Amino acid sequence: MRATESPSSDALAALLAKQEITEVLYRYCRGCDRVDEEALRSCFHPGSLHFHGGFEGRSEDFVGLALAIVGPLRSSTHMVSNVLIELNGNRAVSECG
């Protein structure tokens, strides 16, 4: 697309969706760092799947595991890098480092 061209409504919708997903990634990190169960649970759709290190399963099960790990630490710092978001209709897959 040239600088003088306007983006299509599909392109704008994709950008907005990717930004919303990026903000969920940030909220996930903040939830872990603050040991905030509500914030963590708000990051996942009911029945969603989670693949994190050696964990593969339901996201709601992962939240309990994550809180058990970070809870005793009382403090942690997560950083988001290498964000990749793939959109396919009304579904998306994201990963970050």
Side-chain angles (χ1 to χ4, degrees):
M1 179 172 61
R2 297 178 182 200
T4 57
E5 295 178 55
S6 296
S8 70
S9 61
D10 288 344
L12 286 174
L15 283 172
L16 289 171
K18 287 183 175 191
Q19 181 59 38
E20 288 177 24
I21 293 167
T22 301
E23 290 176 16
V24 171
L25 295 171
Y26 293 144
R27 189 169 65 247
Y28 167 83
C29 292
R30 186 178 190 191
C32 282
D33 293 343
R34 295 183 178 192
V35 192
D36 183 338
E37 182 174 358
E38 183 178 342
L40 282 176
R41 292 201 183 279
S42 75
C43 296
F44 304 106
H45 289 286
S48 65
L49 299 177
H50 198 90
F51 304 93
H52 194 121
F55 180 88
E56 293 185 17
R58 298 180 329 157
S59 298
E60 54 261 26
D61 296 334
F62 176 79
V63 170
L65 174 66
L67 291 172
I69 292 169
V70 298
L73 299 176
R74 292 193 220 178
S75 177
S76 65
T77 302
H78 284 74
M79 297 183 186
V80 176
S81 64
N82 301 327
V83 174
L84 176 63
I85 301 167
E86 296 176 2
L87 303 174
N88 186 9
N90 66 350
R91 299 191 73 155
V93 174
S94 66
E95 73 178 66
C96 66

Coordinates of all heavy atoms in Angstrom, one line a residue:
M1 N 0.8 -1.2 0.0 CA 0.0 0.0 0.0 C 0.9 1.2 0.0 O 1.9 1.3 0.7 CB -0.9 0.0 1.2 CG -1.8 1.2 1.3 SD -3.0 1.1 2.6 CE -2.0 0.9 4.1
R2 N 0.5 2.2 -0.8 CA 1.3 3.4 -0.9 C 0.8 4.4 0.2 O -0.3 4.3 0.7 CB 1.1 4.1 -2.2 CG 1.7 3.2 -3.3 CD 1.4 3.8 -4.7 NE 2.0 2.8 -5.6 CZ 2.3 3.1 -6.8 NH1 2.1 4.3 -7.3 NH2 2.8 2.2 -7.6
A3 N 1.6 5.3 0.6 CA 1.3 6.3 1.6 C 0.1 7.1 1.4 O -0.6 7.5 2.3 CB 2.5 7.2 1.9
T4 N -0.3 7.3 0.1 CA -1.5 8.0 -0.3 C -2.7 7.2 -0.3 O -3.8 7.7 -0.4 CB -1.3 8.7 -1.6 OG1 -1.0 7.7 -2.6 CG2 -0.1 9.7 -1.6
E5 N -2.6 5.9 -0.2 CA -3.8 5.0 -0.2 C -4.3 4.8 1.2 O -3.6 4.8 2.2 CB -3.4 3.6 -0.8 CG -3.0 3.6 -2.2 CD -2.6 2.2 -2.7 OE1 -3.4 1.3 -2.5 OE2 -1.5 2.1 -3.2
S6 N -5.6 4.7 1.3 CA -6.2 4.4 2.6 C -6.3 2.9 2.8 O -6.6 2.1 1.8 CB -7.7 5.0 2.6 OG -7.6 6.4 2.5
P7 N -6.1 2.4 4.0 CA -6.1 1.0 4.3 C -7.6 0.5 4.1 O -8.5 1.3 4.4 CB -5.6 0.8 5.7 CG -5.7 2.2 6.3 CD -5.7 3.2 5.2
S8 N -7.8 -0.7 3.7 CA -9.1 -1.3 3.6 C -9.7 -1.5 5.0 O -9.0 -1.5 6.0 CB -9.1 -2.6 2.8 OG -8.5 -3.6 3.7
S9 N -11.0 -1.6 5.0 CA -11.7 -1.9 6.3 C -11.2 -3.2 6.9 O -11.1 -3.4 8.1 CB -13.2 -1.8 6.2 OG -13.6 -2.8 5.3
D10 N -10.9 -4.2 6.0 CA -10.4 -5.5 6.5 C -9.0 -5.3 7.1 O -8.7 -5.9 8.2 CB -10.3 -6.5 5.3 CG -11.7 -7.0 4.9 OD1 -12.6 -6.8 5.6 OD2 -11.7 -7.6 3.8
A11 N -8.2 -4.5 6.5 CA -6.8 -4.3 7.1 C -6.9 -3.6 8.4 O -6.2 -3.9 9.4 CB -6.0 -3.5 6.1
L12 N -7.8 -2.6 8.5 CA -8.0 -1.9 9.8 C -8.5 -2.8 10.9 O -8.1 -2.8 12.0 CB -8.9 -0.7 9.6 CG -8.3 0.5 8.9 CD1 -9.4 1.6 8.7 CD2 -7.2 1.1 9.7
A13 N -9.5 -3.7 10.5 CA -10.0 -4.7 11.5 C -8.9 -5.6 11.9 O -8.9 -5.9 13.1 CB -11.2 -5.4 10.8
A14 N -8.1 -6.1 11.0 CA -7.0 -6.9 11.4 C -6.0 -6.2 12.4 O -5.6 -6.8 13.4 CB -6.2 -7.4 10.2
L15 N -5.7 -5.0 12.1 CA -4.8 -4.2 13.0 C -5.4 -4.1 14.4 O -4.7 -4.2 15.4 CB -4.5 -2.9 12.4 CG -3.4 -2.9 11.3 CD1 -3.4 -1.5 10.6 CD2 -2.1 -3.3 11.8
L16 N -6.7 -3.7 14.4 CA -7.4 -3.6 15.7 C -7.4 -4.9 16.5 O -7.2 -4.9 17.7 CB -8.8 -3.0 15.5 CG -8.9 -1.6 15.1 CD1 -10.3 -1.2 14.7 CD2 -8.4 -0.7 16.1
A17 N -7.7 -6.0 15.8 CA -7.7 -7.3 16.5 C -6.3 -7.6 17.0 O -6.2 -8.1 18.1 CB -8.2 -8.4 15.5
K18 N -5.3 -7.4 16.2 CA -3.9 -7.7 16.7 C -3.5 -6.8 17.9 O -2.9 -7.3 18.8 CB -2.9 -7.5 15.5 CG -3.0 -8.6 14.5 CD -2.0 -8.5 13.4 CE -2.1 -9.7 12.5 NZ -0.9 -9.8 11.6
Q19 N -4.0 -5.6 17.9 CA -3.7 -4.7 19.0 C -4.4 -5.2 20.3 O -3.8 -5.2 21.4 CB -4.1 -3.2 18.7 CG -3.8 -2.3 19.9 CD -2.3 -2.3 20.3 OE1 -1.4 -2.4 19.4 NE2 -2.0 -2.2 21.6
E20 N -5.7 -5.6 20.1 CA -6.4 -6.1 21.3 C -5.7 -7.4 21.8 O -5.6 -7.6 23.0 CB -7.8 -6.5 20.9 CG -8.7 -5.2 20.6 CD -10.1 -5.6 20.2 OE1 -10.6 -6.7 20.5 OE2 -10.7 -4.7 19.5
I21 N -5.2 -8.3 21.0 CA -4.5 -9.5 21.4 C -3.2 -9.1 22.1 O -2.9 -9.7 23.1 CB -4.3 -10.4 20.2 CG1 -5.7 -11.0 19.7 CG2 -3.4 -11.6 20.6 CD1 -5.6 -11.7 18.4
T22 N -2.5 -8.1 21.6 CA -1.3 -7.7 22.2 C -1.5 -7.2 23.6 O -0.8 -7.5 24.5 CB -0.6 -6.6 21.3 OG1 -0.3 -7.1 20.0 CG2 0.7 -6.1 22.0
E23 N -2.6 -6.5 23.8 CA -3.0 -6.0 25.1 C -3.3 -7.1 26.1 O -3.0 -7.0 27.3 CB -4.1 -4.9 25.0 CG -3.6 -3.6 24.4 CD -4.7 -2.6 24.1 OE1 -5.8 -2.7 24.8 OE2 -4.4 -1.7 23.4
V24 N -3.9 -8.2 25.5 CA -4.1 -9.4 26.4 C -2.8 -10.0 26.8 O -2.7 -10.4 28.0 CB -5.0 -10.4 25.6 CG1 -5.1 -11.7 26.4 CG2 -6.4 -9.9 25.4
L25 N -1.8 -10.0 25.9 CA -0.5 -10.5 26.3 C 0.1 -9.7 27.4 O 0.7 -10.2 28.4 CB 0.4 -10.6 25.1 CG 0.0 -11.5 24.0 CD1 0.9 -11.3 22.7 CD2 0.1 -13.0 24.4
Y26 N 0.0 -8.4 27.3 CA 0.5 -7.5 28.4 C -0.3 -7.7 29.7 O 0.3 -7.8 30.8 CB 0.3 -6.0 28.0 CG 1.2 -5.6 26.9 CD1 0.8 -4.7 25.9 CD2 2.5 -6.1 26.7 CE1 1.6 -4.2 24.9 CE2 3.3 -5.7 25.7 CZ 2.9 -4.8 24.8 OH 3.6 -4.3 23.7
R27 N -1.6 -7.9 29.6 CA -2.4 -8.1 30.8 C -2.0 -9.5 31.5 O -2.0 -9.6 32.7 CB -3.9 -8.1 30.5 CG -4.8 -8.1 31.7 CD -6.3 -7.8 31.4 NE -6.9 -8.8 30.6 CZ -7.3 -8.6 29.4 NH1 -7.2 -7.5 28.8 NH2 -7.9 -9.6 28.7
Y28 N -1.7 -10.5 30.7 CA -1.3 -11.8 31.2 C 0.0 -11.6 32.0 O 0.1 -12.1 33.1 CB -1.0 -12.7 30.0 CG -0.3 -13.9 30.4 CD1 -1.0 -15.0 31.0 CD2 1.1 -14.0 30.3 CE1 -0.3 -16.2 31.4 CE2 1.8 -15.2 30.7 CZ 1.1 -16.2 31.2 OH 1.8 -17.3 31.7
C29 N 1.0 -10.8 31.4 CA 2.2 -10.6 32.1 C 2.0 -9.8 33.4 O 2.6 -10.2 34.5 CB 3.2 -9.9 31.3 SG 3.8 -10.8 29.9
R30 N 1.2 -8.8 33.4 CA 0.9 -8.0 34.6 C 0.2 -8.9 35.6 O 0.5 -8.8 36.8 CB 0.0 -6.9 34.2 CG -0.3 -5.9 35.3 CD -1.1 -4.8 34.8 NE -1.2 -3.7 35.9 CZ -2.0 -2.7 35.8 NH1 -2.8 -2.6 34.8 NH2 -2.0 -1.8 36.8
G31 N -0.8 -9.8 35.2 CA -1.4 -10.7 36.1 C -0.5 -11.6 36.8 O -0.6 -11.9 38.0
C32 N 0.5 -12.2 36.0 CA 1.5 -13.0 36.7 C 2.3 -12.2 37.6 O 2.6 -12.7 38.8 CB 2.4 -13.6 35.6 SG 1.7 -15.0 34.7
D33 N 2.8 -11.1 37.2 CA 3.7 -10.3 38.1 C 3.0 -9.8 39.4 O 3.7 -9.7 40.4 CB 4.2 -9.1 37.3 CG 5.1 -9.4 36.1 OD1 5.6 -10.6 36.1 OD2 5.3 -8.6 35.3
R34 N 1.7 -9.6 39.3 CA 1.0 -9.2 40.5 C 0.3 -10.3 41.2 O -0.5 -10.0 42.2 CB 0.0 -8.1 40.1 CG 0.8 -6.8 39.6 CD -0.1 -5.7 39.3 NE 0.6 -4.6 38.9 CZ 0.1 -3.4 38.8 NH1 -1.1 -3.1 39.0 NH2 0.9 -2.4 38.4
V35 N 0.4 -11.5 40.7 CA -0.3 -12.7 41.2 C -1.8 -12.4 41.3 O -2.4 -12.5 42.4 CB 0.3 -13.2 42.6 CG1 -0.2 -14.5 43.0 CG2 1.8 -13.2 42.6
D36 N -2.3 -11.9 40.2 CA -3.7 -11.5 40.1 C -4.5 -12.5 39.3 O -4.5 -12.5 38.1 CB -3.7 -10.1 39.5 CG -5.1 -9.5 39.4 OD1 -6.1 -10.2 39.5 OD2 -5.2 -8.3 39.2
E37 N -5.2 -13.4 40.1 CA -6.0 -14.4 39.4 C -7.0 -13.9 38.5 O -7.2 -14.4 37.4 CB -6.6 -15.4 40.5 CG -7.3 -16.5 39.9 CD -7.8 -17.5 40.9 OE1 -7.6 -17.3 42.1 OE2 -8.5 -18.5 40.5
E38 N -7.7 -12.9 38.9 CA -8.8 -12.3 38.0 C -8.2 -11.8 36.7 O -8.8 -12.1 35.6 CB -9.5 -11.2 38.8 CG -10.7 -10.6 38.0 CD -11.4 -9.6 38.8 OE1 -11.3 -9.5 40.0 OE2 -12.2 -8.8 38.1
A39 N -7.1 -11.1 36.8 CA -6.5 -10.6 35.6 C -6.0 -11.8 34.7 O -6.2 -11.7 33.4 CB -5.3 -9.7 35.9
L40 N -5.4 -12.8 35.2 CA -5.0 -13.9 34.5 C -6.2 -14.6 33.8 O -6.2 -14.9 32.6 CB -4.2 -14.9 35.3 CG -2.8 -14.6 35.6 CD1 -2.2 -15.6 36.6 CD2 -2.0 -14.5 34.4
R41 N -7.2 -14.9 34.5 CA -8.4 -15.6 34.0 C -9.1 -14.8 32.9 O -9.6 -15.3 31.9 CB -9.4 -16.0 35.1 CG -8.8 -17.0 36.0 CD -9.9 -17.8 36.8 NE -9.3 -18.7 37.7 CZ -8.8 -19.9 37.3 NH1 -8.9 -20.3 36.1 NH2 -8.3 -20.7 38.2
S42 N -9.0 -13.4 33.0 CA -9.6 -12.6 31.9 C -8.9 -12.7 30.6 O -9.4 -12.2 29.6 CB -9.6 -11.1 32.4 OG -8.3 -10.6 32.3
C43 N -7.7 -13.3 30.6 CA -6.9 -13.4 29.3 C -7.4 -14.5 28.4 O -6.9 -14.6 27.3 CB -5.5 -13.6 29.7 SG -4.7 -12.2 30.5
F44 N -8.2 -15.4 28.9 CA -8.6 -16.6 28.2 C -10.1 -16.8 28.0 O -10.8 -16.5 28.9 CB -8.0 -17.8 28.9 CG -6.5 -17.8 29.2 CD1 -6.1 -17.5 30.5 CD2 -5.6 -17.9 28.2 CE1 -4.7 -17.4 30.7 CE2 -4.3 -17.8 28.4 CZ -3.8 -17.6 29.7
H45 N -10.4 -17.3 26.8 CA -11.8 -17.6 26.5 C -12.1 -19.0 27.2 O -11.2 -19.8 27.3 CB -12.0 -17.8 25.0 CG -12.0 -16.5 24.3 ND1 -13.1 -15.6 24.3 CD2 -11.1 -16.0 23.5 CE1 -12.8 -14.6 23.6 NE2 -11.6 -14.7 23.1
P46 N -13.3 -19.2 27.6 CA -13.7 -20.5 28.2 C -13.4 -21.6 27.2 O -13.7 -21.5 26.0 CB -15.2 -20.4 28.5 CG -15.4 -18.9 28.6 CD -14.4 -18.3 27.6
G47 N -12.7 -22.6 27.7 CA -12.4 -23.8 26.8 C -11.2 -23.6 26.0 O -10.8 -24.5 25.2
S48 N -10.5 -22.5 26.1 CA -9.3 -22.2 25.2 C -8.2 -23.2 25.7 O -8.1 -23.6 26.8 CB -8.9 -20.8 25.3 OG -8.4 -20.4 26.6
L49 N -7.3 -23.4 24.7 CA -6.1 -24.3 25.0 C -4.9 -23.4 25.2 O -4.7 -22.3 24.7 CB -5.9 -25.2 23.8 CG -7.1 -26.2 23.6 CD1 -6.8 -27.0 22.3 CD2 -7.4 -27.0 24.8
H50 N -4.0 -24.0 26.0 CA -2.8 -23.2 26.4 C -1.6 -24.2 26.2 O -1.6 -25.3 26.7 CB -2.9 -22.8 27.9 CG -2.0 -21.7 28.3 ND1 -2.3 -20.4 28.2 CD2 -0.7 -21.8 28.7 CE1 -1.3 -19.7 28.6 NE2 -0.3 -20.5 28.9
F51 N -0.5 -23.7 25.6 CA 0.7 -24.4 25.4 C 1.8 -23.5 25.9 O 2.1 -22.5 25.3 CB 0.9 -24.7 23.9 CG -0.2 -25.5 23.3 CD1 -1.3 -24.8 22.7 CD2 -0.3 -26.8 23.4 CE1 -2.3 -25.5 22.2 CE2 -1.3 -27.6 22.9 CZ -2.4 -26.9 22.2
H52 N 2.4 -23.9 27.0 CA 3.3 -23.0 27.7 C 4.4 -23.9 28.3 O 4.2 -24.6 29.3 CB 2.6 -22.3 28.8 CG 3.4 -21.1 29.4 ND1 2.9 -19.9 29.4 CD2 4.6 -21.1 30.1 CE1 3.8 -19.1 30.0 NE2 4.8 -19.8 30.4
G53 N 5.6 -23.9 27.8 CA 6.7 -24.8 28.3 C 6.2 -26.2 28.1 O 5.8 -26.6 27.1
G54 N 6.3 -26.9 29.3 CA 5.8 -28.3 29.2 C 4.3 -28.5 29.5 O 3.8 -29.6 29.4
F55 N 3.6 -27.4 29.7 CA 2.2 -27.5 29.9 C 1.4 -27.5 28.6 O 1.6 -26.6 27.7 CB 1.7 -26.4 30.8 CG 0.2 -26.4 31.1 CD1 -0.3 -27.2 32.1 CD2 -0.7 -25.8 30.2 CE1 -1.7 -27.2 32.4 CE2 -2.1 -25.9 30.5 CZ -2.5 -26.6 31.5
E56 N 0.5 -28.4 28.4 CA -0.4 -28.4 27.3 C -1.8 -28.8 27.8 O -1.9 -29.9 28.4 CB 0.0 -29.4 26.2 CG 1.3 -29.0 25.5 CD 1.6 -30.0 24.3 OE1 0.7 -30.7 23.9 OE2 2.8 -29.9 23.9
G57 N -2.7 -27.9 27.8 CA -4.0 -28.2 28.3 C -4.9 -27.0 28.3 O -4.7 -26.1 27.5
R58 N -6.0 -27.1 29.1 CA -6.9 -26.0 29.2 C -6.3 -24.8 29.9 O -5.6 -24.9 30.8 CB -8.2 -26.4 29.9 CG -8.9 -27.6 29.2 CD -10.1 -28.1 29.9 NE -10.1 -27.9 31.4 CZ -11.1 -27.8 32.2 NH1 -12.3 -27.9 31.7 NH2 -10.9 -27.7 33.5
S59 N -6.6 -23.6 29.3 CA -6.1 -22.4 29.9 C -6.5 -22.2 31.4 O -5.7 -21.7 32.2 CB -6.5 -21.2 29.1 OG -6.1 -21.3 27.8
E60 N -7.7 -22.5 31.7 CA -8.2 -22.4 33.1 C -7.3 -23.2 34.1 O -7.1 -22.9 35.2 CB -9.7 -22.6 33.3 CG -10.2 -23.9 32.8 CD -10.8 -23.8 31.4 OE1 -10.5 -22.9 30.6 OE2 -11.7 -24.7 31.2
D61 N -6.9 -24.4 33.6 CA -6.0 -25.2 34.4 C -4.6 -24.6 34.5 O -4.0 -24.7 35.6 CB -5.9 -26.6 33.8 CG -7.2 -27.4 33.9 OD1 -8.1 -27.0 34.7 OD2 -7.4 -28.3 33.0
F62 N -4.2 -24.0 33.5 CA -2.9 -23.3 33.5 C -2.8 -22.2 34.5 O -1.8 -22.0 35.2 CB -2.5 -22.8 32.1 CG -1.2 -22.1 32.1 CD1 0.0 -22.8 32.2 CD2 -1.1 -20.7 32.2 CE1 1.3 -22.1 32.2 CE2 0.1 -20.0 32.3 CZ 1.3 -20.7 32.3
V63 N -3.9 -21.5 34.6 CA -3.9 -20.3 35.6 C -3.6 -20.8 37.0 O -2.7 -20.2 37.7 CB -5.2 -19.6 35.5 CG1 -5.3 -18.6 36.7 CG2 -5.4 -18.9 34.2
G64 N -4.2 -21.9 37.4 CA -3.9 -22.4 38.8 C -2.4 -22.8 38.9 O -1.8 -22.5 39.9
L65 N -1.9 -23.4 37.9 CA -0.5 -23.8 37.9 C 0.4 -22.6 37.9 O 1.4 -22.5 38.7 CB -0.1 -24.7 36.7 CG 1.3 -25.0 36.5 CD1 1.8 -26.0 37.6 CD2 1.5 -25.7 35.1
A66 N 0.1 -21.6 37.1 CA 0.9 -20.4 37.1 C 0.9 -19.7 38.4 O 2.0 -19.2 38.9 CB 0.4 -19.4 36.0
L67 N -0.2 -19.6 39.1 CA -0.3 -18.9 40.4 C 0.4 -19.7 41.4 O 1.0 -19.1 42.3 CB -1.8 -18.7 40.7 CG -2.6 -17.7 39.9 CD1 -4.0 -17.7 40.2 CD2 -2.0 -16.3 40.1
A68 N 0.4 -21.0 41.4 CA 1.2 -21.8 42.3 C 2.7 -21.6 42.2 O 3.4 -21.6 43.2 CB 0.8 -23.3 42.1
I69 N 3.1 -21.3 41.0 CA 4.5 -21.0 40.7 C 4.9 -19.6 41.1 O 5.9 -19.4 41.8 CB 4.9 -21.3 39.3 CG1 4.8 -22.8 39.0 CG2 6.3 -20.8 38.9 CD1 4.8 -23.2 37.5
V70 N 4.2 -18.6 40.7 CA 4.6 -17.2 40.9 C 4.2 -16.7 42.3 O 4.7 -15.8 42.8 CB 4.1 -16.3 39.8 CG1 4.8 -16.6 38.5 CG2 2.6 -16.2 39.7
G71 N 3.1 -17.3 42.9 CA 2.6 -16.8 44.1 C 3.7 -16.7 45.2 O 3.8 -15.7 45.9
P72 N 4.4 -17.8 45.5 CA 5.4 -17.7 46.5 C 6.6 -16.7 46.2 O 7.2 -16.3 47.2 CB 6.0 -19.2 46.6 CG 4.9 -20.0 46.0 CD 4.3 -19.1 45.0
L73 N 6.8 -16.4 45.0 CA 7.8 -15.4 44.6 C 7.5 -14.0 45.1 O 8.4 -13.2 45.3 CB 8.1 -15.4 43.1 CG 8.5 -16.7 42.5 CD1 8.6 -16.6 41.0 CD2 9.8 -17.2 43.0
R74 N 6.2 -13.7 45.1 CA 5.6 -12.4 45.5 C 6.0 -11.3 44.5 O 5.5 -10.2 44.5 CB 6.1 -12.0 46.9 CG 5.5 -12.8 47.9 CD 5.7 -12.1 49.3 NE 6.0 -13.1 50.2 CZ 6.3 -12.9 51.5 NH1 6.3 -11.6 51.9 NH2 6.6 -13.8 52.3
S75 N 7.0 -11.6 43.6 CA 7.4 -10.5 42.7 C 8.1 -11.2 41.5 O 8.9 -12.1 41.7 CB 8.4 -9.6 43.3 OG 8.8 -8.6 42.3
S76 N 7.7 -10.8 40.3 CA 8.3 -11.3 39.1 C 8.2 -10.2 38.1 O 7.4 -9.3 38.2 CB 7.7 -12.6 38.6 OG 6.4 -12.4 38.2
T77 N 9.0 -10.3 37.0 CA 8.9 -9.4 35.9 C 8.9 -10.1 34.6 O 9.8 -10.8 34.3 CB 10.1 -8.4 36.0 OG1 10.2 -7.8 37.2 CG2 10.0 -7.4 34.8
H78 N 7.8 -10.0 33.9 CA 7.6 -10.5 32.6 C 7.8 -9.4 31.5 O 7.4 -8.3 31.8 CB 6.2 -11.1 32.4 CG 6.0 -12.4 33.1 ND1 5.9 -12.5 34.5 CD2 6.0 -13.7 32.6 CE1 5.7 -13.8 34.8 NE2 5.8 -14.5 33.7
M79 N 8.4 -9.8 30.5 CA 8.6 -8.9 29.3 C 8.1 -9.6 28.1 O 8.2 -10.8 27.9 CB 10.1 -8.6 29.2 CG 10.7 -7.9 30.3 SD 12.4 -7.4 30.0 CE 12.8 -6.8 31.6
V80 N 7.5 -8.8 27.2 CA 6.9 -9.3 26.0 C 7.8 -8.9 24.8 O 8.2 -7.8 24.7 CB 5.5 -8.7 25.8 CG1 4.9 -9.1 24.5 CG2 4.6 -9.0 26.9
S81 N 8.2 -9.9 24.1 CA 9.0 -9.7 22.9 C 8.6 -10.7 21.8 O 7.9 -11.7 22.1 CB 10.5 -9.8 23.2 OG 10.8 -11.1 23.6
N82 N 9.0 -10.5 20.6 CA 8.8 -11.4 19.5 C 7.3 -11.8 19.4 O 7.0 -13.0 19.3 CB 9.6 -12.6 19.6 CG 11.1 -12.3 19.6 OD1 11.5 -11.3 19.0 ND2 11.9 -13.1 20.3
V83 N 6.4 -10.8 19.4 CA 5.0 -11.1 19.3 C 4.6 -11.5 17.8 O 5.0 -10.8 16.9 CB 4.2 -9.8 19.7 CG1 2.7 -10.1 19.5 CG2 4.4 -9.5 21.1
L84 N 3.9 -12.6 17.8 CA 3.4 -13.1 16.5 C 2.0 -13.4 16.6 O 1.6 -14.2 17.5 CB 4.2 -14.4 16.0 CG 3.7 -15.0 14.7 CD1 3.9 -14.1 13.5 CD2 4.5 -16.3 14.5
I85 N 1.1 -12.8 15.8 CA -0.3 -13.1 15.9 C -0.8 -13.4 14.5 O -0.5 -12.7 13.5 CB -1.1 -11.8 16.4 CG1 -0.6 -11.4 17.8 CG2 -2.6 -12.1 16.4 CD1 -1.0 -10.1 18.2
E86 N -1.4 -14.6 14.4 CA -1.9 -15.0 13.1 C -3.5 -15.0 13.2 O -4.0 -15.7 14.1 CB -1.4 -16.4 12.8 CG 0.1 -16.5 12.6 CD 0.6 -17.8 12.3 OE1 -0.2 -18.8 12.3 OE2 1.9 -18.0 12.2
L87 N -4.1 -14.3 12.3 CA -5.6 -14.3 12.3 C -6.1 -15.2 11.2 O -5.5 -15.2 10.1 CB -6.0 -12.8 12.0 CG -5.5 -11.8 13.0 CD1 -6.0 -10.4 12.5 CD2 -6.1 -12.0 14.4
N88 N -7.2 -15.9 11.5 CA -7.8 -16.7 10.5 C -9.3 -16.7 10.8 O -9.8 -17.4 11.6 CB -7.3 -18.2 10.6 CG -7.8 -19.1 9.6 OD1 -8.5 -18.6 8.6 ND2 -7.6 -20.3 9.7
G89 N -10.0 -15.7 10.1 CA -11.4 -15.5 10.4 C -11.6 -15.0 11.7 O -11.0 -14.0 12.2
N90 N -12.5 -15.7 12.5 CA -12.7 -15.2 13.9 C -11.9 -15.9 14.9 O -12.1 -15.9 16.1 CB -14.2 -15.4 14.2 CG -14.7 -16.8 14.3 OD1 -13.9 -17.7 13.9 ND2 -15.9 -17.0 14.8
R91 N -10.8 -16.6 14.4 CA -9.8 -17.3 15.3 C -8.5 -16.7 15.2 O -8.1 -16.1 14.2 CB -9.8 -18.8 14.9 CG -11.1 -19.5 15.1 CD -11.0 -20.9 14.9 NE -10.3 -21.3 16.2 CZ -10.4 -22.5 16.7 NH1 -11.1 -23.4 16.0 NH2 -9.9 -22.9 17.8
A92 N -7.7 -16.8 16.3 CA -6.4 -16.2 16.2 C -5.5 -17.1 17.1 O -5.9 -17.8 18.0 CB -6.3 -14.8 16.8
V93 N -4.2 -17.1 16.7 CA -3.2 -17.8 17.5 C -2.1 -16.8 17.7 O -1.7 -16.1 16.8 CB -2.6 -19.0 16.7 CG1 -1.4 -19.7 17.4 CG2 -3.7 -20.1 16.4
S94 N -1.6 -16.8 19.0 CA -0.5 -15.8 19.3 C 0.6 -16.5 20.0 O 0.3 -17.5 20.7 CB -1.1 -14.6 20.1 OG -1.5 -15.1 21.4
E95 N 1.7 -15.9 19.9 CA 2.9 -16.4 20.7 C 3.8 -15.2 20.9 O 3.8 -14.2 20.1 CB 3.6 -17.6 20.1 CG 4.4 -17.3 18.9 CD 5.2 -18.5 18.4 OE1 4.5 -19.4 17.9 OE2 6.4 -18.5 18.4
C96 N 4.5 -15.2 22.0 CA 5.5 -14.2 22.3 C 6.6 -14.8 23.1 O 6.5 -15.8 23.7 CB 4.9 -13.0 23.0 SG 4.3 -13.3 24.6
G97 N 7.7 -14.1 23.1 CA 8.9 -14.6 23.8 C 9.0 -13.9 25.1 O 8.3 -13.1 25.5

